Every structure is written in C-alpha cells, then in structure tokens.
Amino acid sequence: MKNLKKALLAAAVASLAFSAQAAVTLKLSHNQSKDIPVHKAMQAFADKVKEYTNGEVKIRIYPNAQLGTQRESVELVQSGGLALAKSNAAELEAFEPLYSVFNQPYIFKNQDHFYDVLTSDIGEEILNASKDKGFIGITYYDAGSRSFYAGKAIKTPDDLKGMKIRVQPSPSAVKMVELLGANPTPIAFGELYTALQQGVVDGAENNESALVDNRHGEVSKFYSYDRHTMIPDVLVMSTKDWDKLTPEQQQAIKKAGRESMMLQKQLWADNTEKVIKEAKEKLGVTFVEDVDTAAFAAKVLPMHEEAAKASPQAADLIKRIKEKAPK
Ligand code: GCU
C-alpha cells in the first residue's frame, strides 16, 4: 500500500514536471504595426501553433520594434535571447549569405515564379541553411516588389544620379544602388520616415505599403515602378529554442507557418490594392508607370553572375531559381 502511494505520488510529480516543461511561451519580435498583413498572418500562426500543440507552445508577438530593430532582433534570435523574429531576406543576408539569392534584382519574373521558388525545395534549403549559425527559417511572407520613391519621378537610372537612396543593410542592395548611379545609405526602417523628412536621404525603395502603412507617402510624392526586387519577409527561430521542442511540436510550427504564409498572400494582395488607392487619394502620391525597366535591368543584371561566385551552393540556387522562370 505504502509503495503504491509512493508510486502514484511519483507519477503525479513526474507528470506535473512534464507539463510545466512542455508549456512554453515564445516571444516573436517584428518592426511593423499590428494593422499590416504580416502581423495578422503571424497572429494566425500563433493561434494555430497553440491549437496544433494543444496549448503546449504559445507565441506572444511584440510589434513596432518594441524589442529592437530588425537587425537587433535577429541578433537576439541568433544568440538565443529571443525565440522568434520576422525579418526580411535583405537583412538576413548579413547573417546567412545564401539569402542574397533573393536579393538579386530581376531574378524573379513575376509573382508566380516567386511563390514557385519559395514553396519549393529551394525555399526550404535556404530556410534550413542557417541552422548552425543560430537560427532557422520557419516560413516566408510576401513583401511585394520594391521600387524607388522620392520627391521626383525616377524613370531611368540617369534620374538617380547623385541621389542619396536609403537601402536595407544588405550588401546586395548597396551594390544594386551603386550600379544604378546613386549613393546607397543603409538606415534602419524605423528611422526612415524622419530621414526622408529631414532630407538625410533623397529617396528610398520599397513596396507600396510603406507609403501608407509607414506614412512615407507623406514625404515622398512619386513612386516609380521599376520593380527591381521581390524580397520576401522571413520568420526566423532560434536554433536553441527549436532544438528544445519535440518533433511533433516542430512539425506543428512548420505546418502553422506554411498555412499563415498562404493566408498572408491573400491579405497582402488586398492590402496593396487598398494602400495604392489611399496613397493616391489621401496623400497625393503619383504612381509612375512609364519607367524604362530595361535600362535598370541592363545595369544590374551582371550582379547575378557575381552572386553566383560567392559559393557553389549560391551558384546552384541561382541556377535552379532561373530554371523555374516562366518561359
Ligand atoms: C519591407 C519589409 C520590412 C523591412 C522593410 C525595409 O517593408 O517588410 O521587414 O524592414 O522592407 O525596407 O527595411
């Protein structure tokens, strides 16, 4: 009897210890507001992770760069001080060089090509490439295509001559803007509004959402469609936290990630339509369509060959991305 009691007690304590250990809350940091598609998709991701793990894994989101800039958040994730962060592939290039393949101008022919690549073994290979560097990628999110915006229309590379253009802290972005004849200035995203307003930079480059959701259209009235890059946002997770999860929990996170990616694709399309209308009607932004895209492409296409020289794996990924291009 005494032994049975002891055994029961031991079992109860063990199960308590197990559930205490199994229930974890992971922090997720990003630099955008709660109103934009990527936040909504990551909220859906958090809800699904909780559901698929029966409440064992919870995720709390900290928006608006409350926990630091995009770069600071990725550094924290890398060292294990933070579990999750949403970054952009441009920013990640400094942490895992293979992300540079996404940062090559005009590497994607259109949105179908972009999604074909992200959801293929190519996308998965890049997400997993950084495991030994302290983080892995969980999933991608749409961040549209990037074009230049400034106080004047930019229709040819000549229009960029001598201009100071804010770029993300990415070697590829710096190189691209240099080749186009402007002066690249890396600045954290959160500081860009003031930099544009005060003339620290003459222009920037991003998707249309930045004009409205980050209010850049208040200070830059011309958005010129040269569509130089399509760079995905990436949800990354600390390898330390990933390794603490059970295989089932890891699978739940991957599944929730993929599902939230598809949700965000739709939210992104709807939001882009909305922000273009708002930028025109409320902020008086002019969208310039007659841009000499071929002239931009001619100056920057040699970057692909240079990027392929970085490593055999980069060369192989670039080749495979191109093979997926629509004919
Ligand atoms: C996009 C991207 C952000 C990034 C920003 C930038 O908006 O979604 O994650 O910070 O570009 O240009 O810095």
Side-chain angles (χ1 to χ4, degrees):
M1 192 59 197
K2 227 184 181 176
N3 277 348
L4 181 65
K5 248 191 187 163
K6 250 194 190 162
L8 281 175
L9 194 67
V13 169
S15 90
L16 256 185
F18 177 74
S19 58
Q21 193 187 27
V24 286
T25 299
L26 306 174
K27 289 184 185 169
L28 190 170
S29 160
H30 73 87
N31 67 356
Q32 295 279 14
S33 77
K34 284 183 169 180
D35 303 324
I36 85 152
V38 77
H39 178 89
K40 293 179 186 159
M42 290 190 299
Q43 192 52 60
F45 164 74
D47 294 343
K48 281 169 192 279
V49 167
K50 189 173 166 199
E51 180 192 331
Y52 297 156
T53 62
N54 300 315
E56 287 168 5
V57 182
K58 293 183 191 140
I59 290 164
R60 189 173 301 144
I61 307 181
Y62 295 80
N64 294 315
Q66 284 169 46
L67 300 184
T69 64
Q70 205 161 249
R71 174 181 289 248
E72 287 161 352
S73 294
V74 177
E75 280 168 359
L76 276 175
V77 165
Q78 199 176 29
S79 65
L82 174 70
L84 293 147
K86 193 280 301 169
S87 185
N88 183 265
E91 188 96 57
L92 290 175
E93 188 180 334
F95 296 86
E96 168 50 66
L98 286 182
Y99 277 102
S100 72
V101 303
F102 292 142
N103 304 337
Q104 298 309 309
Y106 302 106
I107 192 144
F108 294 115
K109 296 293 174 216
N110 55 30
Q111 207 205 25
D112 284 347
H113 183 205
F114 176 75
Y115 272 96
D116 269 358
V117 168
L118 296 187
T119 55
S120 72
D121 52 338
I122 303 172
E124 223 32 54
E125 188 173 322
I126 296 174
L127 291 178
N128 293 326
S130 55
K131 185 145 201 263
D132 294 341
K133 297 187 176 115
F135 68 97
I136 60 158
I138 302 295
T139 195
Y140 297 105
Y141 295 116
D142 207 329
S145 68
R146 299 177 77 97
S147 289
F148 292 106
Y149 52 93
K152 64 170 199 185
I154 294 162
K155 297 184 176 184
T156 71
D158 274 352
D159 295 329
L160 279 171
K161 236 180 221 141
M163 286 178 79
K164 268 187 269 156
I165 299 290
R166 180 269 176 177
V167 290
Q168 296 198 74
S170 133
S172 299
V174 167
K175 180 96 224 163
M176 177 189 75
V177 167
E178 268 169 12
L179 287 174
L180 291 173
N183 302 319
T185 311
I187 296 178
F189 194 47
E191 288 159 26
L192 178 52
Y193 180 93
T194 315
L196 285 165
Q197 192 184 37
Q198 297 182 345
V200 175
V201 288
D202 305 308
E205 48 83 55
N206 210 329
N207 49 51
E208 300 93 332
S209 147
L211 299 172
V212 172
D213 296 320
N214 307 99
R215 302 188 294 116
H216 297 172
E218 289 175 6
V219 281
S220 296
K221 297 297 181 189
F222 291 86
Y223 186 94
S224 306
Y225 277 116
D226 70 300
R227 298 185 176 88
H228 46 260
T229 44
M230 293 179 84
I231 307 183
D233 278 350
V234 191
L235 178 61
V236 296
M237 181 165 182
S238 163
T239 306
K240 279 192 187 148
D241 287 288
W242 177 255
D243 286 343
K244 281 185 206 151
L245 301 177
T246 65
E248 292 75 24
Q249 290 169 339
Q250 291 175 345
Q251 264 174 25
I253 286 190
K254 282 298 280 185
K255 180 168 172 295
R258 268 194 305 274
E259 289 172 4
S260 70
M261 175 188 188
M262 288 307 148
L263 168 71
Q264 196 262 357
K265 182 184 183 189
Q266 189 53 49
L267 294 176
W268 180 264
D270 297 345
N271 192 59
T272 299
E273 216 174 284
K274 186 185 118 208
V275 296
I276 292 174
K277 196 164 179 289
E278 263 182 61
K280 282 183 190 161
E281 290 172 6
K282 294 202 185 138
L283 301 174
V285 174
T286 301
F287 286 87
V288 183
E289 282 283 3
D290 59 331
V291 173
D292 187 355
T293 311
F296 283 87
K299 289 214 182 281
V300 294
L301 282 178
M303 283 178 67
H304 297 189
E305 226 170 279
E306 275 307 304
K309 285 185 196 152
S311 68
Q313 201 180 351
D316 176 58
L317 287 164
I318 289 173
K319 183 169 153 268
R320 281 154 63 204
I321 291 177
K322 292 194 171 188
E323 281 165 5
K324 282 194 172 288
K327 300 287 172 283

